Amino acid sequence: MTAKFVSLACIRANESGNLSPRPHYPSMPKYPKGAIVSSDEEKFMQGSESTALFSVTGMTCSACAGSVEKAVKRLPGIKDAAVDVLNNRAQVVFYPTFVNEETIRETIEDVGFQASLITEVMDEKSSQMCHIRIKGMTCTSCSTTVESALQDLPGVERAQVALATEEGEVRYDPKILTLDQILKAVEDTGFEAILLSTGEDRCKIHLQIDGVRTESSMRIIQNSLEALPGVEDLNYDSELNKVSLSYQPDLTGPRHFIEIIESTGSGRYKAKIFPGGVSRQSHRDDEIKQYYKSFLWSLVFTIPVFLLSMVFMYIPGVKHVLDTKTVNMLNIGEILRWILSTPVQFIIGRRFYVGAYKALIHGSANMDVLIVLGTNAAYFYSVYSVLRAATSSVFESTDFFETSSMLISFIMLGKYLEVLAKGKTSEAIEKLMDLAPETAILLTLDSEGNVLNEEEIDSRLIQKNDVMKINPGAKVACDGFVIWGQSHVNESMITGESRPVAKRNGDIVIGGTLNTNGALHVKATKVGSESALAQIVRLVESAQMAKAPVQKLADRISKFFVPLVIFLSFSTWFAWFLAGKFNGYPKSWLPSSMDSFQLALQFGISVMVIACPCALGLATPTAVMVGTGVGASQGVLIKGGHALESAHRVNCIVFDKTGTLTVGKPVVVNTKLLKNLVLKELFELVAAAEVNSEHPLAKAIVEHAKKFYQDEENPVWPEARDFESITGHGVKAVVRNKELLVGNKRLMVDHDVAISLDVEEVLAEIEGLAQTGILVSIGREMVAIIAVSDPLKPGAREVISFLKSMKIKSIVVTGDNWGTANAIAKEVGIDTVIAQAKPEDKAEKVKEIQATGNIVAMVGDGINDSPALVAADVGMAIGVGTDIAIEAADIVLMKSNLEDVIIAIDLSRRTFSRIRLNYLWALGYNVLGIPIAAGALFPFSRFRLPPWIAGAAMAASSVSVVCSSLLLKNYRRPKQLNTLAIRGITVE
């Protein structure tokens, strides 16, 4: 299988039901039942595992995939098996000592499908992902430059750079490109690059080792660690005494590493989790401190410059001192302003020079270029003016030192407020990260499951199959299942579901959730970056990295924005200069102590510094960041700007039936006997056949049959011979020497079983009640009809009604029969029904609806919904659905509530409205601000915008756009949904 289906599977219950009440520690692959394997054999097997890829034809739904997977996993020596029904492939990881490819292939064919070995297995690591922090970007021009440089590298499949998060995401081929080359490409564009993570970091730990003094000691430790099974890569940083290890969590873990390190040196060496890190928040905090410090230092020099220029000149005694001449016409005030403004221009403003230089040498222009040109024009004209005064006995100087220093100070204030506000846009991720507890209680159990010891450990040291104790009021330390105890767990921080969920033996728990009232013993199944919490964080981070299509507008504008502003600035200066030179305006217009050149210069500088490309660049990503963060807190995971943009235009929603409109857990509601049979004996025979099937209806029948054996927890069914699963129709088997057929009407017709008019009438009646009729024949004679019902989700009718009020059309598409489909649709208030649709038919129906001009959202939960989820403009996966459906979807509804469909669309509409408002503000600001700065109002009102005020306005525009996006944090779901809650409608 070319794709690895890893996403939010840990949120769902373990469907296999293999929940052991006793702890099972790592380093043990799957062996034949009851096999005794020595440690040497175990290591040999682990080192010789193989992967085989098979082409499997004939599969049509998740039941088919499940039966293949189940049959393969029963074989001895199978470590793992995964079936991709969409691509008709099965990937099997096995130990050749026990089984070979031919045996696996024959097993698949025994299930009823054609299988062939694919010899050219694609390498799963043919491409990798890395995340980089990029420091120094100031506007869209910067992010576009870096993105283009990365995209041009050979081996890069996709590169995205986000200005708002100051991060980059690169998918590349490691055979062609190295991480060092990627980082160098970023640095060559003039920005600092810091590697945050790579595709290999899924299972990686950083340890600090104390006590190592020689290289030979370190080599011994390295050799000891590398000899451990499951250790894939090891790097040692001698300066920090840090060891970084990549490993397979099924085979080993961080506690093993620490134990090996400390035992190697007979107690001389100590190891612990490496402290600190390069989290987004710590980087943001450092950036905020830097700008705050720079702003305070700029004030130290700028306030005196402002007082000397604007205040002291009007105090008679002080004015006299400042006007005292020193050298020719040069006075004390000008010398003081020059001295005070110089540190602001060249020390505090150094970052703008560096940014402008880096941008210009790579052929681009950013905000730093505008700031440097504007402040340099004011500063160096002032230097020229005072030097001329110092060398002349008649020339009186007019300087603009206050312009350059105040300009830089206001920009520093603006950048400080901007990074402060931008930090709040990613608060959702920080809150999610903070959910993981710092410590956990590790239990040591004996072979009977009795607790021998309790130990508090760092939660990052938890390994797979550890047993953790979760006290009342404590957070669950990892994903796993309960092996002892009963309690209620508040999962609202992960799923958004506010009501605590009851947990008992065998139930799944999610790391980061809150245990409320009882102690639990939990066996760890997903730890570290494999956990549901970590995957949600990654999904939200990835969403915030992705660019919305509307952002292309800002990217296109940014290419021409700065050069255009520079052209307008010089044009403004030149026009006013010529007008003054050739008496184009009365001399009375000139302010006192200013000539036409100086007036023109001020207008030119104002135009240059008032234009703000930052606001345009931040308009979309900040809104997307806040919107996706709010969605995550509501239990709606939106995969980026593209999903947001498409969802706000949706006018038609296609709903799958089973598991979407219905609960997805069918139950037997009635049985109609057509022959004189004992009901218990009938269900014993039917269960014997259906227990081999993975279909939800089969499971419902088996569960119902168990009710006749209340004294037995797991009744033993009679042996079923010649079992055959007939896809889409039912099952066939021989039980107690009787040929048994269980399935739909088509199955009976194909096997020449007579269907009387009475049976037809009963079936029609059952389907009219929105139930599914399962026919049972013994010896080609009809004996019973079992009615199975999948109840509607509470509130489904109200949700469909609400969607109508939003002018969104709803359609049902299902593989079920027309009678049941029509009955369900009528019950919820949907007029358009498409029934008996195969997976590929669902996708075709979606495309047909799109062809009529509709923007279509598909809501589904199963593998057979995945083609339609991909085909739709927006795919919405129910959170308890299959991994592949979640992977294929654009939006994941964590709570599986239908009302979250409304929240997803409503939130996308609000977010996109905010993006529009941001663009209106950013573009409108520049369209209005530039003419005013250029002096458009001056001829009529003598109003002119001083450069330092223009600079303050520029800084304020970026802050205002970010603050506008932050208002999305106040999002509340539509009031009508609260009305549903008041009525007592709660969706499970």
Side-chain angles (χ1 to χ4, degrees), residues 572-597:
T572 300
W573 167 79
F574 192 62
W576 278 103
F577 175 69
L578 288 179
K581 197 75 173 172
F582 297 102
N583 300 316
Y585 56 83
K587 295 293 183 184
S588 59
W589 286 14
L590 286 171
S592 59
S593 70
M594 188 179 290
D595 59 25
S596 59
F597 176 86

mmCIF file of all heavy atoms in Angstrom, residues 572-597:
data_model
loop_
_atom_site.group_PDB
_atom_site.id
_atom_site.type_symbol
_atom_site.label_atom_id
_atom_site.label_comp_id
_atom_site.label_asym_id
_atom_site.label_seq_id
_atom_site.Cartn_x
_atom_site.Cartn_y
_atom_site.Cartn_z
ATOM 1 N N THR A 572 6.053 61.978 -6.545
ATOM 2 C CA THR A 572 5.472 63.005 -5.674
ATOM 3 C C THR A 572 6.500 64.093 -5.367
ATOM 4 O O THR A 572 6.212 65.299 -5.465
ATOM 5 C CB THR A 572 4.969 62.362 -4.368
ATOM 6 O OG1 THR A 572 3.980 61.384 -4.670
ATOM 7 C CG2 THR A 572 4.391 63.412 -3.424
ATOM 8 N N TRP A 573 7.686 63.651 -4.952
ATOM 9 C CA TRP A 573 8.745 64.620 -4.655
ATOM 10 C C TRP A 573 9.063 65.485 -5.881
ATOM 11 O O TRP A 573 9.144 66.712 -5.793
ATOM 12 C CB TRP A 573 10.016 63.896 -4.203
ATOM 13 C CG TRP A 573 11.211 64.796 -4.174
ATOM 14 C CD1 TRP A 573 11.532 65.700 -3.205
ATOM 15 C CD2 TRP A 573 12.216 64.937 -5.189
ATOM 16 N NE1 TRP A 573 12.681 66.388 -3.534
ATOM 17 C CE2 TRP A 573 13.120 65.937 -4.754
ATOM 18 C CE3 TRP A 573 12.433 64.315 -6.426
ATOM 19 C CZ2 TRP A 573 14.221 66.330 -5.511
ATOM 20 C CZ3 TRP A 573 13.537 64.692 -7.165
ATOM 21 C CH2 TRP A 573 14.426 65.691 -6.713
ATOM 22 N N PHE A 574 9.211 64.850 -7.033
ATOM 23 C CA PHE A 574 9.591 65.563 -8.249
ATOM 24 C C PHE A 574 8.502 66.557 -8.667
ATOM 25 O O PHE A 574 8.788 67.698 -9.068
ATOM 26 C CB PHE A 574 9.863 64.548 -9.368
ATOM 27 C CG PHE A 574 10.540 65.148 -10.564
ATOM 28 C CD1 PHE A 574 11.809 65.730 -10.466
ATOM 29 C CD2 PHE A 574 9.904 65.154 -11.808
ATOM 30 C CE1 PHE A 574 12.430 66.277 -11.561
ATOM 31 C CE2 PHE A 574 10.517 65.707 -12.913
ATOM 32 C CZ PHE A 574 11.785 66.273 -12.796
ATOM 33 N N ALA A 575 7.227 66.131 -8.561
ATOM 34 C CA ALA A 575 6.111 67.001 -8.966
ATOM 35 C C ALA A 575 6.041 68.243 -8.086
ATOM 36 O O ALA A 575 5.895 69.374 -8.586
ATOM 37 C CB ALA A 575 4.800 66.224 -8.904
ATOM 38 N N TRP A 576 6.155 68.035 -6.758
ATOM 39 C CA TRP A 576 6.092 69.191 -5.848
ATOM 40 C C TRP A 576 7.339 70.070 -5.983
ATOM 41 O O TRP A 576 7.253 71.297 -5.866
ATOM 42 C CB TRP A 576 5.935 68.706 -4.408
ATOM 43 C CG TRP A 576 4.520 68.374 -4.042
ATOM 44 C CD1 TRP A 576 3.967 67.149 -3.941
ATOM 45 C CD2 TRP A 576 3.487 69.309 -3.750
ATOM 46 N NE1 TRP A 576 2.643 67.239 -3.607
ATOM 47 C CE2 TRP A 576 2.310 68.573 -3.475
ATOM 48 C CE3 TRP A 576 3.417 70.712 -3.701
ATOM 49 C CZ2 TRP A 576 1.103 69.166 -3.154
ATOM 50 C CZ3 TRP A 576 2.206 71.302 -3.371
ATOM 51 C CH2 TRP A 576 1.070 70.544 -3.109
ATOM 52 N N PHE A 577 8.474 69.440 -6.252
ATOM 53 C CA PHE A 577 9.706 70.218 -6.419
ATOM 54 C C PHE A 577 9.614 71.111 -7.670
ATOM 55 O O PHE A 577 9.951 72.307 -7.626
ATOM 56 C CB PHE A 577 10.912 69.280 -6.526
ATOM 57 C CG PHE A 577 12.201 69.990 -6.810
ATOM 58 C CD1 PHE A 577 12.788 70.814 -5.846
ATOM 59 C CD2 PHE A 577 12.828 69.871 -8.043
ATOM 60 C CE1 PHE A 577 13.982 71.480 -6.107
ATOM 61 C CE2 PHE A 577 14.014 70.535 -8.313
ATOM 62 C CZ PHE A 577 14.595 71.341 -7.340
ATOM 63 N N LEU A 578 9.151 70.541 -8.774
ATOM 64 C CA LEU A 578 9.001 71.336 -10.004
ATOM 65 C C LEU A 578 7.963 72.436 -9.835
ATOM 66 O O LEU A 578 8.139 73.562 -10.333
ATOM 67 C CB LEU A 578 8.612 70.418 -11.175
ATOM 68 C CG LEU A 578 9.698 69.478 -11.712
ATOM 69 C CD1 LEU A 578 9.137 68.639 -12.851
ATOM 70 C CD2 LEU A 578 10.920 70.269 -12.183
ATOM 71 N N ALA A 579 6.864 72.081 -9.119
ATOM 72 C CA ALA A 579 5.816 73.086 -8.897
ATOM 73 C C ALA A 579 6.369 74.270 -8.118
ATOM 74 O O ALA A 579 6.048 75.437 -8.407
ATOM 75 C CB ALA A 579 4.640 72.459 -8.153
ATOM 76 N N GLY A 580 7.205 73.978 -7.122
ATOM 77 C CA GLY A 580 7.796 75.064 -6.340
ATOM 78 C C GLY A 580 8.841 75.825 -7.135
ATOM 79 O O GLY A 580 8.954 77.066 -7.022
ATOM 80 N N LYS A 581 9.603 75.132 -7.951
ATOM 81 C CA LYS A 581 10.675 75.748 -8.731
ATOM 82 C C LYS A 581 10.128 76.720 -9.762
ATOM 83 O O LYS A 581 10.698 77.784 -10.013
ATOM 84 C CB LYS A 581 11.489 74.640 -9.423
ATOM 85 C CG LYS A 581 12.857 75.080 -9.920
ATOM 86 C CD LYS A 581 13.824 75.221 -8.743
ATOM 87 C CE LYS A 581 15.234 75.480 -9.251
ATOM 88 N NZ LYS A 581 16.156 75.801 -8.154
ATOM 89 N N PHE A 582 8.983 76.308 -10.367
ATOM 90 C CA PHE A 582 8.409 77.138 -11.429
ATOM 91 C C PHE A 582 7.148 77.868 -10.979
ATOM 92 O O PHE A 582 6.264 78.161 -11.780
ATOM 93 C CB PHE A 582 8.113 76.273 -12.657
ATOM 94 C CG PHE A 582 9.343 75.664 -13.261
ATOM 95 C CD1 PHE A 582 9.669 74.334 -13.040
ATOM 96 C CD2 PHE A 582 10.203 76.445 -14.038
ATOM 97 C CE1 PHE A 582 10.814 73.776 -13.589
ATOM 98 C CE2 PHE A 582 11.342 75.886 -14.586
ATOM 99 C CZ PHE A 582 11.661 74.548 -14.377
ATOM 100 N N ASN A 583 7.102 78.137 -9.653
ATOM 101 C CA ASN A 583 6.005 78.932 -9.083
ATOM 102 C C ASN A 583 4.630 78.350 -9.423
ATOM 103 O O ASN A 583 3.689 79.055 -9.772
ATOM 104 C CB ASN A 583 6.084 80.389 -9.572
ATOM 105 C CG ASN A 583 7.401 81.029 -9.167
ATOM 106 O OD1 ASN A 583 7.848 80.868 -8.027
ATOM 107 N ND2 ASN A 583 8.032 81.736 -10.099
ATOM 108 N N GLY A 584 4.531 77.055 -9.291
ATOM 109 C CA GLY A 584 3.244 76.390 -9.547
ATOM 110 C C GLY A 584 2.253 76.585 -8.426
ATOM 111 O O GLY A 584 1.070 76.282 -8.587
ATOM 112 N N TYR A 585 2.690 77.086 -7.284
ATOM 113 C CA TYR A 585 1.782 77.390 -6.176
ATOM 114 C C TYR A 585 2.328 78.623 -5.468
ATOM 115 O O TYR A 585 3.514 78.936 -5.561
ATOM 116 C CB TYR A 585 1.665 76.207 -5.205
ATOM 117 C CG TYR A 585 2.969 75.723 -4.632
ATOM 118 C CD1 TYR A 585 3.547 76.365 -3.524
ATOM 119 C CD2 TYR A 585 3.622 74.612 -5.166
ATOM 120 C CE1 TYR A 585 4.748 75.918 -2.985
ATOM 121 C CE2 TYR A 585 4.813 74.167 -4.627
ATOM 122 C CZ TYR A 585 5.370 74.807 -3.541
ATOM 123 O OH TYR A 585 6.550 74.369 -2.997
ATOM 124 N N PRO A 586 1.464 79.382 -4.775
ATOM 125 C CA PRO A 586 1.901 80.621 -4.121
ATOM 126 C C PRO A 586 2.941 80.360 -3.032
ATOM 127 O O PRO A 586 2.930 79.308 -2.385
ATOM 128 C CB PRO A 586 0.603 81.166 -3.502
ATOM 129 C CG PRO A 586 -0.502 80.459 -4.204
ATOM 130 C CD PRO A 586 0.026 79.125 -4.621
ATOM 131 N N LYS A 587 3.830 81.264 -2.828
ATOM 132 C CA LYS A 587 4.859 81.144 -1.796
ATOM 133 C C LYS A 587 4.249 81.066 -0.403
ATOM 134 O O LYS A 587 4.852 80.543 0.531
ATOM 135 C CB LYS A 587 5.820 82.351 -1.858
ATOM 136 C CG LYS A 587 6.646 82.430 -3.140
ATOM 137 C CD LYS A 587 7.637 81.284 -3.233
ATOM 138 C CE LYS A 587 8.496 81.432 -4.506
ATOM 139 N NZ LYS A 587 9.405 80.251 -4.652
ATOM 140 N N SER A 588 3.014 81.628 -0.262
ATOM 141 C CA SER A 588 2.359 81.613 1.051
ATOM 142 C C SER A 588 2.024 80.194 1.509
ATOM 143 O O SER A 588 1.727 79.963 2.676
ATOM 144 C CB SER A 588 1.078 82.449 0.995
ATOM 145 O OG SER A 588 0.192 81.932 0.009
ATOM 146 N N TRP A 589 2.029 79.257 0.545
ATOM 147 C CA TRP A 589 1.738 77.875 0.931
ATOM 148 C C TRP A 589 2.889 77.242 1.709
ATOM 149 O O TRP A 589 2.694 76.290 2.439
ATOM 150 C CB TRP A 589 1.487 77.022 -0.319
ATOM 151 C CG TRP A 589 0.142 77.281 -0.964
ATOM 152 C CD1 TRP A 589 -0.697 78.319 -0.727
ATOM 153 C CD2 TRP A 589 -0.472 76.463 -1.968
ATOM 154 N NE1 TRP A 589 -1.820 78.229 -1.514
ATOM 155 C CE2 TRP A 589 -1.711 77.087 -2.287
ATOM 156 C CE3 TRP A 589 -0.104 75.299 -2.629
ATOM 157 C CZ2 TRP A 589 -2.578 76.566 -3.251
ATOM 158 C CZ3 TRP A 589 -0.964 74.779 -3.576
ATOM 159 C CH2 TRP A 589 -2.193 75.401 -3.893
ATOM 160 N N LEU A 590 4.080 77.785 1.555
ATOM 161 C CA LEU A 590 5.242 77.187 2.200
ATOM 162 C C LEU A 590 5.210 77.430 3.711
ATOM 163 O O LEU A 590 5.010 78.569 4.164
ATOM 164 C CB LEU A 590 6.534 77.780 1.641
ATOM 165 C CG LEU A 590 6.939 77.326 0.233
ATOM 166 C CD1 LEU A 590 8.106 78.167 -0.265
ATOM 167 C CD2 LEU A 590 7.315 75.848 0.245
ATOM 168 N N PRO A 591 5.402 76.398 4.521
ATOM 169 C CA PRO A 591 5.488 76.599 5.966
ATOM 170 C C PRO A 591 6.725 77.433 6.302
ATOM 171 O O PRO A 591 7.681 77.501 5.516
ATOM 172 C CB PRO A 591 5.641 75.161 6.510
ATOM 173 C CG PRO A 591 5.149 74.274 5.414
ATOM 174 C CD PRO A 591 5.474 74.983 4.143
ATOM 175 N N SER A 592 6.708 78.051 7.462
ATOM 176 C CA SER A 592 7.847 78.875 7.872
ATOM 177 C C SER A 592 9.095 78.008 8.001
ATOM 178 O O SER A 592 9.023 76.830 8.365
ATOM 179 C CB SER A 592 7.545 79.549 9.221
ATOM 180 O OG SER A 592 7.289 78.574 10.212
ATOM 181 N N SER A 593 10.227 78.612 7.737
ATOM 182 C CA SER A 593 11.544 77.948 7.789
ATOM 183 C C SER A 593 11.591 76.689 6.926
ATOM 184 O O SER A 593 12.205 75.706 7.289
ATOM 185 C CB SER A 593 11.922 77.589 9.241
ATOM 186 O OG SER A 593 11.099 76.541 9.721
ATOM 187 N N MET A 594 10.909 76.689 5.765
ATOM 188 C CA MET A 594 10.954 75.541 4.860
ATOM 189 C C MET A 594 10.873 76.043 3.430
ATOM 190 O O MET A 594 10.055 76.921 3.121
ATOM 191 C CB MET A 594 9.783 74.582 5.155
ATOM 192 C CG MET A 594 9.873 73.259 4.390
ATOM 193 S SD MET A 594 8.501 72.131 4.778
ATOM 194 C CE MET A 594 8.888 71.655 6.450
ATOM 195 N N ASP A 595 11.723 75.524 2.542
ATOM 196 C CA ASP A 595 11.646 75.929 1.146
ATOM 197 C C ASP A 595 10.926 74.852 0.329
ATOM 198 O O ASP A 595 10.480 73.836 0.858
ATOM 199 C CB ASP A 595 13.048 76.193 0.591
ATOM 200 C CG ASP A 595 13.955 74.962 0.674
ATOM 201 O OD1 ASP A 595 13.424 73.822 0.704
ATOM 202 O OD2 ASP A 595 15.193 75.142 0.708
ATOM 203 N N SER A 596 10.793 75.084 -0.979
ATOM 204 C CA SER A 596 10.021 74.178 -1.836
ATOM 205 C C SER A 596 10.636 72.782 -1.895
ATOM 206 O O SER A 596 9.923 71.773 -1.967
ATOM 207 C CB SER A 596 9.903 74.756 -3.240
ATOM 208 O OG SER A 596 11.193 74.946 -3.806
ATOM 209 N N PHE A 597 11.971 72.715 -1.878
ATOM 210 C CA PHE A 597 12.628 71.397 -1.918
ATOM 211 C C PHE A 597 12.290 70.594 -0.668
ATOM 212 O O PHE A 597 11.978 69.395 -0.737
ATOM 213 C CB PHE A 597 14.145 71.578 -2.036
ATOM 214 C CG PHE A 597 14.895 70.268 -1.994
ATOM 215 C CD1 PHE A 597 15.084 69.539 -3.155
ATOM 216 C CD2 PHE A 597 15.398 69.771 -0.791
ATOM 217 C CE1 PHE A 597 15.779 68.331 -3.113
ATOM 218 C CE2 PHE A 597 16.079 68.569 -0.749
ATOM 219 C CZ PHE A 597 16.268 67.838 -1.921
#
